[in-house]
Amino acid sequence: MIGTKRVRFQPVAEGASVTQLELFFDLVLVFAFTMVTSLAASETSAKNMLRALLVIGVMWWVWIAYSWVANVVRADEGLTRVAMFVAMGGAFLAALTIPEAFQDKAGGWFGPLVFAIAYLIVRLVHLWVFWMASADDSQLRGQVVRWGFGSIAIGTTLLVIAAMTTGAVQIGLWIAAIVGDMLWTMLAGEDWRLNSATHFAERHGLIIIVALGESIVSIGIGVAGLPISWPIALASMLGLAVSGLLWWAYFDVAALSVEHALKNAEGQRQIKIARNCYTYWHFPMVVGIIGLSLGLKKVLYYVGDSSAHTLRDALYGIPLYTLYGGVVLYLLALVGFKHYATRKVSVQRVVAAVLLLALVPLACALPALASLALLCAVLVGLIVWETFRYAQPRDEIRHGAHTA
């Protein structure tokens, strides 16, 4: 009997790394992020931006659910492997239906309900894996029961109901589903298990790379089919530099500092760091990157398509706000991420975020390419300042005893 359980569900060992199946699972999120960016770009209105944000929230919760369960049992072993593939199918179907998540298109199945049912399947599979994996752990089983009862009742049921409605009622139900699920997860307790802090930190670092990858894809999509020119080349390099600088801001020191705090914490404090720093603070980071992706896509369209715009045209309105606001949100989320774990505030990042907000009126008056260059310049200044101003503590975190 014991041997059978080991075959079906193999516990994650301390110090374990992310499995290849988890990376394969992330490909669905790559596609989902691309679909969200396309949804946002199709109509740059406040209502559509809210819809895009809500879809990101749902897809984020799909990914979060499996990042936690894959830290308890190996994703690529036994029945968990089968469950992961089933969940991938549901998540991919939901991603395919993102353009119809709120409003059905003529022909085919009823899109909003397909999205809700696909999401329900993903969540039920996740709950089943956690239920089975906690068979010999009464503490974890109790946590799963408390969380699962409220999470399924709130997060998935409300989305199914929302699929049968329209307008403000539909939006309200989506908001209630996502916010309610997140609040319930916070209130349901801290009796979760974290078998490998290394795995957990690595897993969330990879989703940041996935999101940054979408920002790079958006650069290419923005000029797809257009002949290469110096404005396209320059805008592409500036966009790539912005994505690279955001990568630097996360991985150079912040991610290592929080990972060290996660490894050194014990009991409920460790669970709270895992939940608050990774489950919650990473969400606005991803939202910020997707916002940046939309802005980059529009900038490349402005500078590449001479039939619709000239190089003197300014990027304005929601595309500009998502370009600058996405980076601001990302930086502030990084500050919160690091502060909760280490109790240290990265003042220079708050200053950079405030400066970017102050520069928005100027950016509205500049050509789109100049607005992107200004954004890149501020980030370069931030990273250069941090690298030299905090050279010694940076070196200790990256190469000192903490990394042993």
Side-chain angles (χ1 to χ4, degrees):
M1 186 67 178
I2 295 176
T4 303
K5 288 184 178 180
R6 286 178 179 171
V7 171
R8 290 180 177 178
F9 300 98
Q10 181 174 321
V12 171
E14 184 178 354
S17 297
V18 174
T19 64
Q20 292 180 346
L21 182 54
E22 290 171 271
L23 298 178
F24 190 47
F25 184 90
D26 285 354
L27 295 178
V28 175
L29 269 295
V30 173
F31 177 65
F33 289 160
T34 300
M35 293 294 284
V36 170
T37 303
S38 297
L39 173 66
S42 65
E43 179 190 337
T44 53
S45 65
K47 180 180 179 180
N48 201 45
M49 295 305 105
L50 177 57
R51 286 177 170 177
L53 174 61
L54 294 174
V55 172
I56 296 174
V58 170
M59 299 309 297
W60 174 252
W61 222 239
V62 167
W63 185 86
I64 279 297
Y66 286 86
S67 70
W68 277 88
V69 77
N71 195 266
V72 176
V73 290
R74 284 187 61 93
D76 58 349
E77 295 288 347
L79 291 177
T80 312
R81 176 188 290 193
V82 178
M84 290 289 289
F85 277 110
V86 174
M88 281 184 66
F92 192 59
L93 185 59
L96 284 170
T97 321
I98 284 174
E100 298 183 78
F102 293 90
Q103 187 172 2
D104 184 49
K105 293 184 178 181
W109 291 344
F110 186 66
L113 188 58
V114 172
F115 181 91
I117 292 176
Y119 179 62
L120 175 61
I121 290 171
V122 174
R123 294 296 299 275
L124 289 176
V125 171
H126 167 261
L127 187 59
W128 175 79
V129 173
F130 243 139
W131 172 265
M132 297 297 292
S134 63
D136 297 325
D137 187 337
S138 59
Q139 178 178 317
L140 180 58
R141 173 61 64 88
Q143 177 67 66
V144 170
V145 170
R146 287 194 305 274
W147 172 80
F149 177 78
S151 185
I152 296 298
I154 298 171
T156 58
T157 303
L158 289 179
L159 276 187
V160 173
I161 298 172
M164 312 308 295
T165 63
T166 58
V169 173
Q170 184 186 55
I171 295 294
L173 287 170
W174 269 72
I175 293 173
I178 296 169
V179 174
D181 208 347
M182 290 186 173
L183 287 175
W184 182 260
T185 297
M186 179 172 288
L187 298 173
E190 287 85 34
D191 289 334
W192 298 103
R193 298 299 187 196
L194 196 70
N195 287 0
S196 173
T198 298
H199 171 276
F200 203 76
E202 181 184 0
R203 193 81 187 91
H204 287 76
L206 288 171
I207 200 62
I208 294 297
I209 291 178
V210 165
L212 288 172
E214 164 56 21
S215 69
I216 295 173
V217 169
S218 294
I219 295 172
I221 292 177
V223 292
L226 297 176
I228 191 69
S229 62
W230 76 262
I232 290 177
L234 179 57
S236 298
M237 293 301 100
L238 286 171
L240 182 62
V242 169
S243 297
L245 290 163
L246 295 189
W247 175 93
W248 190 308
Y250 180 91
F251 287 99
D252 187 55
V253 171
L256 294 174
S257 298
V258 177
E259 183 179 352
H260 295 157
L262 182 66
K263 288 179 177 178
N264 294 329
E266 297 178 351
Q268 290 191 350
R269 173 60 181 167
Q270 186 181 56
I271 297 301
K272 287 181 178 180
I273 292 176
R275 184 190 62 199
N276 296 344
C277 292
Y278 291 95
T279 297
Y280 289 115
W281 277 117
H282 272 63
F283 177 58
M285 287 185 215
V286 170
V287 171
I289 295 172
I290 300 301
L292 168 68
S293 300
L294 173 61
L296 290 176
K297 186 175 183 178
K298 292 296 184 180
V299 169
L300 267 294
Y301 173 71
Y302 267 53
V303 303
D305 190 357
S306 58
S307 64
H309 297 280
T310 70
L311 292 179
R312 295 186 298 274
D313 288 347
L315 189 69
Y316 61 91
I318 288 177
L320 179 69
Y321 300 151
T322 60
L323 180 70
Y324 274 65
V327 174
V328 168
L329 182 60
Y330 179 87
L331 291 176
L332 294 179
L334 266 175
V335 172
F337 165 67
K338 184 178 178 182
H339 173 261
Y340 186 87
T342 67
R343 303 305 184 193
K344 297 178 181 178
V345 177
S346 300
V347 177
Q348 70 280 0
R349 297 188 174 192
V350 176
V351 171
V354 172
L355 176 60
L356 286 173
L357 288 176
L359 289 174
V360 167
L362 174 61
C364 288
L366 293 174
L369 189 57
S371 296
L372 178 58
L374 181 62
L375 173 64
C376 186
V378 172
L379 290 175
V380 168
L382 170 64
I383 296 303
V384 169
W385 167 265
E386 289 185 340
T387 301
F388 289 96
R389 175 64 177 81
Y390 303 104
Q392 183 176 346
R394 174 179 177 271
D395 185 66
E396 290 176 355
I397 292 172
R398 292 184 55 80
H399 308 292
H402 288 95
T403 59

